[in-house]
Amino acid sequence: MTYQVLLPSRVSLLGIVLWLLAAAHFSSCHNNHVQNHFSLSNPEKNSIQEKKKASSEQELDNEDLKVFYPTNQWQTLQPDQAVPAGSHVRLNLQTGERKVKLSDEEKYQNNLKEQKKGQRLDLNTHGFTTQDLKSALEKFKEGAGAEKEDKAQQEEVRRRFRPIEDLKKDFEALNVVIESDLQIMVRLINQFNSSSTTLEEKIMALYDLEYYVHQMDNARDLLSFGGLQVVINGLNSTEDLVKEYSAFVLGAAFSSNPKVQVEAIEGGALQKLLVVLATDHPLAVKKKALFALSSLLRHFPYAQQQFLKLGGLHVLRSLVHEKGMEVLAVRVVTLLYDLVTEKMLAENAEQGQGPPEEKVQQYRQVELLPGLQEQGWCSIVAGLLGLPEHDMREKVLRTLSALLAPCRERYRRDALLSSTLRGLRDEYQELAALELQDGEENGYFQEMLGTINGFIQELP
């Protein structure tokens, strides 16, 4: 009885277990079928699509992306088109199709970056062309190269030359001091003016000083510490060498330097120079004194007035006639010619083209031509025409022409002058003919012949 009861119960338990296993198997199969039917992508299909996508991307890498212009409407985006920054993109997950339109929140930017190269694309059709950009890039590279060259050159200069500060330190260590021109001139003046220095040291100081006062600024600086007056006082020295080199320095300082010329007149330089020329001194001393006098008188009408008042023309006439001073005669004549022509040019210049009116009035007060006539310079200049050198003859002829107005009557009566002029004309006719034979037109001797003929024609 017991066995019969247990058997049905065991059969019933086994059936339940079998039913549960069958239900689990059916649920698993059903889920797999549903998953395959409703899945978004098929693994096999996904693998094929990934290969195609990789191949498409590789193809896109080999060429530049085309520019896509989004609008406010949805547009299909091709695989070879780049998506501009700020665009709104929609992707269809089933077909893979992409659609693009402008974003409503962000402004559309004209420039975007390439996906591969990172280059900036200019979407503005009115901008620069590709060739323009290439040219600009080349110029930019050239500029960078030039800048590198400049830096390299600067480095080369720094390598070859040392800074002035380092040199000063080295000189200080060697007890060598770098002096300015002003400091050098002060030292030279002190050396010249010192009673403890020898004659040779004084001369060397003046010789070095002449080099510096050639510059106008240095000559003016010479006034700032009284150096000019020290040199002027050197004309009173008992040593001829000191007088010679003092006049040498003064001539360089006076040249075309009005401020220094004025200070020299006030310091008595004119009187001292005339004394040196009028007294007995060697030729070298008088030559330098005449040089200083010429520098002081040129372009300075007030000094020319004082020169005439102090008897300067008489001093120069004595100098020309002095024995052993013949070489200075032409220099004196040249000085007189310069003074006469300077005065004529200043007085005859048109309004606004000549010197200031005040200076013109000063020139008119210089009675140079009457003084030359009174001092007998008409005959003195005419007598120098027989000098042998062509250059000397040229300067004398120019001076004769400049003095023609006050000396015309004197020249007409001078038989020696007429004979000399005829002889010179014959001489220069032959020399001019030789120039023409050599094929030289407008030569020096032809010009000399023209000057002589012109002067002879102006005499009657």
Side-chain angles (χ1 to χ4, degrees):
M1 188 70 181
T2 305
Y3 174 76
Q4 293 178 350
V5 173
L6 289 175
L7 183 60
S9 63
R10 291 178 178 176
V11 171
S12 176
L13 179 61
L14 181 61
I16 294 172
V17 170
L18 292 174
W19 182 82
L20 290 175
L21 291 173
H25 176 73
F26 175 80
S27 177
S28 174
C29 294
H30 179 72
N31 289 339
N32 290 336
H33 176 75
V34 172
Q35 182 177 2
N36 293 335
H37 179 75
F38 292 99
S39 63
L40 293 178
S41 62
N42 192 337
E44 296 179 357
K45 292 182 179 180
N46 287 343
S47 176
I48 295 173
Q49 290 179 356
E50 288 178 357
K51 292 180 180 179
K52 290 182 178 180
K53 183 177 180 182
S55 176
S56 176
E57 290 180 353
Q58 184 175 4
E59 292 177 357
L60 291 178
D61 289 342
N62 296 330
E63 59 182 9
D64 295 338
L65 296 178
K66 297 181 180 179
V67 179
F68 179 79
Y69 298 92
T71 63
N72 294 325
Q73 303 297 327
W74 289 105
Q75 300 182 67
T76 301
L77 184 68
Q78 299 300 325
D80 59 346
Q81 290 180 326
V83 180
S87 301
H88 189 182
V89 182
R90 183 173 64 183
L91 175 64
N92 190 326
L93 298 178
Q94 294 182 356
T95 63
E97 182 183 29
R98 295 181 299 171
K99 292 187 176 182
V100 182
K101 74 171 184 177
L102 290 176
S103 175
D104 297 333
E105 298 178 356
E106 298 180 358
K107 293 183 179 180
Y108 177 65
Q109 299 179 357
N110 291 330
N111 297 327
L112 55 87
K113 296 182 178 179
E114 265 189 47
Q115 297 293 330
K116 173 190 173 186
K117 300 180 180 180
Q119 296 178 346
R120 183 174 296 276
L121 300 178
D122 189 359
L123 302 182
N124 186 1
T125 58
H126 301 288
F128 298 102
T129 63
T130 304
Q131 188 63 31
D132 294 338
L133 295 175
K134 289 181 179 179
S135 301
L137 183 59
E138 291 177 357
K139 292 180 179 180
F140 176 77
K141 292 180 178 179
E142 291 177 359
E147 184 177 357
K148 291 181 180 178
E149 291 180 359
D150 293 341
K151 291 182 178 179
Q153 185 176 5
Q154 292 176 2
E155 292 297 332
E156 178 65 17
V157 172
R158 292 191 185 99
R159 185 183 65 81
R160 295 179 57 186
F161 303 100
R162 302 175 58 192
I164 187 64
E165 291 77 10
D166 295 346
L167 294 176
K168 287 182 177 180
K169 292 179 181 179
D170 293 344
F171 287 147
E172 289 177 359
L174 297 173
N175 293 326
V176 177
V177 180
I178 299 178
E179 298 176 303
S180 64
D181 288 355
L182 177 59
Q183 292 173 333
I184 294 174
M185 290 191 297
V186 170
R187 176 173 55 80
L188 293 175
I189 288 294
N190 291 334
Q191 177 180 337
F192 169 70
N193 200 32
S194 175
S195 58
S196 61
T197 56
T198 63
L199 176 61
E200 183 179 359
E201 292 173 341
K202 291 180 183 292
I203 300 304
M204 288 303 300
L206 290 173
Y207 181 82
D208 293 340
L209 184 62
E210 187 272 339
Y211 168 79
Y212 288 98
V213 298
H214 270 291
Q215 300 183 19
M216 294 183 63
D217 293 338
N218 288 341
R220 292 173 182 174
D221 290 339
L222 195 64
L223 306 175
S224 62
F225 60 94
L228 181 66
Q229 191 61 50
V230 173
V231 180
I232 292 175
N233 294 337
L235 297 173
N236 296 329
S237 175
T238 58
E239 297 290 343
D240 289 336
L241 280 176
V242 174
K243 291 181 181 180
E244 177 184 350
Y245 280 91
S246 296
F248 189 36
V249 174
L250 293 175
F254 296 159
S255 182
S256 301
N257 204 329
K259 187 175 181 180
V260 179
Q261 289 175 324
V262 172
E263 293 292 333
I265 288 292
E266 295 178 355
L270 180 59
Q271 295 90 329
K272 291 179 172 58
L273 289 172
L274 290 176
V275 169
V276 173
L277 291 172
T279 54
D280 186 18
H281 287 94
L283 175 62
V285 177
K286 291 195 174 184
K287 186 183 295 185
K288 292 297 191 294
L290 182 60
F291 162 65
L293 178 66
S294 301
S295 299
L296 181 60
L297 295 181
R298 284 188 173 94
H299 306 291
F300 192 12
Y302 177 75
Q304 296 173 18
Q305 293 179 36
Q306 299 301 314
F307 169 76
L308 295 176
K309 291 179 180 179
L310 295 173
L313 290 177
H314 178 74
V315 173
L316 295 182
R317 185 183 65 180
S318 301
L319 183 64
V320 171
H321 291 146
E322 186 177 349
K323 187 177 180 180
M325 300 294 171
E326 292 81 5
V327 69
L328 298 180
V330 177
R331 300 192 181 191
V332 171
V333 171
T334 303
L335 172 60
L336 295 178
Y337 170 78
D338 291 342
L339 296 180
V340 172
T341 54
E342 178 185 315
K343 174 180 169 64
M344 293 173 59
L345 291 175
E347 294 177 351
N348 298 329
E350 296 182 2
Q351 186 70 24
Q353 296 184 358
E357 184 62 26
E358 181 181 357
K359 196 169 186 178
V360 174
Q361 293 298 329
Q362 293 178 359
Y363 275 114
R364 289 173 180 169
Q365 295 175 9
V366 178
E367 300 294 336
L368 181 59
L369 292 178
L372 291 172
Q373 187 178 13
E374 293 175 2
Q375 296 286 337
W377 280 96
C378 297
S379 301
I380 295 173
V381 176
L384 297 175
L385 193 58
L387 294 173
E389 291 81 3
H390 298 295
D391 180 62
M392 292 182 178
R393 292 175 180 176
E394 179 186 4
K395 294 177 180 178
V396 172
L397 280 170
R398 291 191 307 175
T399 307
L400 286 174
S401 299
L403 297 177
L404 187 58
C407 302
R408 186 185 301 272
E409 295 298 327
R410 175 67 181 82
Y411 291 160
R412 288 176 179 175
R413 299 192 303 266
D414 193 339
L416 179 60
L417 175 60
S418 300
S419 175
T420 303
L421 288 172
R422 288 192 297 269
L424 291 176
R425 181 175 60 184
D426 296 339
E427 178 183 351
Y428 285 106
Q429 280 179 347
E430 295 179 1
L431 294 173
L434 292 176
E435 283 183 337
L436 292 175
Q437 290 179 5
D438 294 338
E440 183 178 356
E441 297 182 358
N442 301 323
Y444 176 76
F445 296 122
Q446 298 175 51
E447 293 180 1
M448 287 288 292
L449 179 60
T451 303
I452 294 172
N453 290 331
F455 181 74
I456 292 175
Q457 292 175 2
E458 291 180 359
L459 276 180

